Amino acid sequence: MKIAILDDYQNVALNYGDWDSLNAEIHVFTEPFAGADEVVERLAGFEVVVAMRERTRFPAEVLDRLPELKLLVSTGARNAAIDVPAARRNGVVVSATGYSGLSTAEHTWALILAAARNLPAEFRSMREGGWQRTVGITLHGRTLGLLGLGRLGSGAARIGQAFGMETIAWSQNLTPEKAAEHGVTAVSKEELFARSDVLSIHLVLSRRSRGLVGAAELAAMKPSALLVNTSRGPIVDEAALVDALRRKEIAAAALDVYDIEPLPSDHPLRTLDNAILTPHLGYVAHEVYEVFYGDAVEDIAAYQAGNPIRVME
């Protein structure tokens, strides 16, 4: 059996999970593929592919051209980059793994605190021999707005409340009763953007959420506000965000996700002092990788035994 492990940027996958137990030929790809043709070319001949989250796309046009692929393992329980019906049509089993969002919730707050206290600039100043350069803000008494109040959004709300922040939220299906269960006040979309001192995005990317935060929403925010996105890049209109940051319509954006990943080296976001950027680290944690790759090995072993598990429908 030939197994491909994709997009292992840190080259650590083989440190997690008992890969030797599979008695297979394993190839680790540490660099992203340039496009669909390269995916097909590089993965020809592999029976099993382990995809890390949504880093590599598997639309029908790719799956139709990989006749030897029989098992596609996706880390996490959901993967919008895989056309599951097309996989099924081609006789490919798609198996998932477990996932914990705790690391993403924690990373959200790492970004919020970094932005509130201007840590990137102060880190740089200290390395350059400088001292105090900026004046930060405290979070106590300010308003935390949650765009989405699911598992991750409600977790972020609890942390905000621990800081003494007022918590408000909006999503298309959020009710006042559901928000109140988390000690959060449900507001309109317009009120969310107008009132938030920190606005954190916690939505699943879908047709309804793509581009949901555009020029009008950014213009409605306070000039002192901070936008945080650890969810999915395309929820925010990236061009509108770059323009808003350049014109100081909002104070800063703290981002872990982008339209194109890895973020191109010449992307304008990399040039803006009021953009705090991390390379999609929300789920990149030791404990999460243990689950991802440990479960991937279990998925492959179950497939070898003729009894696939955690099959995505």
Side-chain angles (χ1 to χ4, degrees):
M1 175 181 289
K2 288 184 65 177
I3 300 172
I5 301 175
L6 305 188
D7 298 310
D8 181 14
Y9 299 158
Q10 302 100 334
N11 198 20
V12 296
L14 296 182
N15 298 330
Y16 298 93
D18 186 10
W19 296 97
D20 290 341
S21 67
L22 298 174
N23 191 29
E25 180 183 337
I26 301 175
H27 294 256
V28 177
F29 294 86
T30 59
E31 299 292 332
F33 299 132
D37 288 341
E38 187 176 356
V39 173
V40 172
E41 178 185 350
R42 301 293 296 277
L43 297 184
F46 284 97
E47 183 178 352
V48 177
V49 168
V50 179
M52 171 53 78
R53 303 295 283 159
E54 297 166 357
R55 293 176 180 176
T56 294
R57 297 188 58 78
F58 286 91
E61 66 168 302
V62 169
L63 294 165
D64 291 345
R65 297 161 64 193
L66 292 173
E68 295 181 84
L69 179 63
K70 300 302 177 186
L71 175 66
L72 178 54
V73 178
S74 169
T75 55
R78 181 189 295 113
N79 191 327
I82 297 174
D83 187 333
V84 176
R88 190 181 304 116
R89 186 180 69 247
N90 281 281
V92 178
V93 175
V94 182
S95 286
T97 73
Y99 176 61
S100 168
L102 293 175
S103 64
T104 300
E106 292 177 2
H107 191 70
T108 297
W109 280 93
L111 287 173
I112 292 171
L113 291 168
R117 303 310 296 266
N118 302 301
L119 294 186
E122 296 295 356
F123 289 158
R124 186 166 57 250
S125 173
M126 289 293 285
R127 290 190 177 277
E128 294 171 352
W131 197 238
Q132 296 173 355
R133 298 284 177 86
T134 65
V135 179
I137 62 169
T138 59
L139 298 174
H140 183 89
R142 296 182 186 270
T143 299
L144 171 66
L146 290 311
L147 186 58
L149 196 65
R151 181 168 46 88
L152 292 179
S154 60
R158 287 193 297 273
I159 299 172
Q161 291 157 2
F163 275 100
M165 302 184 77
E166 179 185 4
T167 50
I168 62 176
W170 175 85
S171 68
Q172 289 169 322
N173 298 318
L174 181 65
T175 65
E177 295 76 18
K178 184 65 176 179
E181 292 177 10
H182 302 287
V184 176
T185 301
V187 297
S188 67
K189 179 184 175 184
E190 292 74 19
E191 190 175 355
L192 180 78
F193 283 90
R195 286 181 55 190
S196 296
D197 294 300
V198 177
L199 195 152
S200 189
I201 299 171
H202 299 283
L203 294 174
V204 174
L205 180 62
S206 67
R207 291 179 182 175
R208 292 197 305 177
S209 66
R210 184 178 294 272
L212 185 63
V213 182
E217 288 75 20
L218 294 167
M221 295 176 70
K222 301 176 182 179
S224 58
L226 164 66
L227 178 72
V228 184
N229 191 4
T230 57
S231 183
R232 288 294 184 270
I235 295 172
V236 180
D237 182 328
E238 201 165 78
L241 177 60
V242 168
D243 183 59
L245 290 171
R246 282 175 172 162
R247 294 192 290 112
K248 303 295 195 296
E249 280 191 351
I250 60 174
L255 308 174
D256 190 45
V257 290
Y258 311 91
D259 284 3
I260 299 174
E261 297 183 5
L263 187 68
S265 59
D266 60 349
H267 195 284
L269 280 170
R270 293 183 183 265
T271 69
L272 300 174
D273 289 339
N274 55 350
I276 293 89
L277 311 177
T278 53
H280 206 155
L281 293 178
Y283 63 89
V284 181
H286 175 81
E287 293 80 2
V288 177
Y289 275 18
E290 282 187 325
V291 173
F292 279 174
Y293 290 121
D295 284 3
V297 170
E298 289 182 3
D299 288 347
I300 298 169
Y303 164 77
Q304 286 178 320
N307 298 296
I309 59 175
R310 290 187 282 260
V311 177
M312 295 173 65
E313 299 296 338

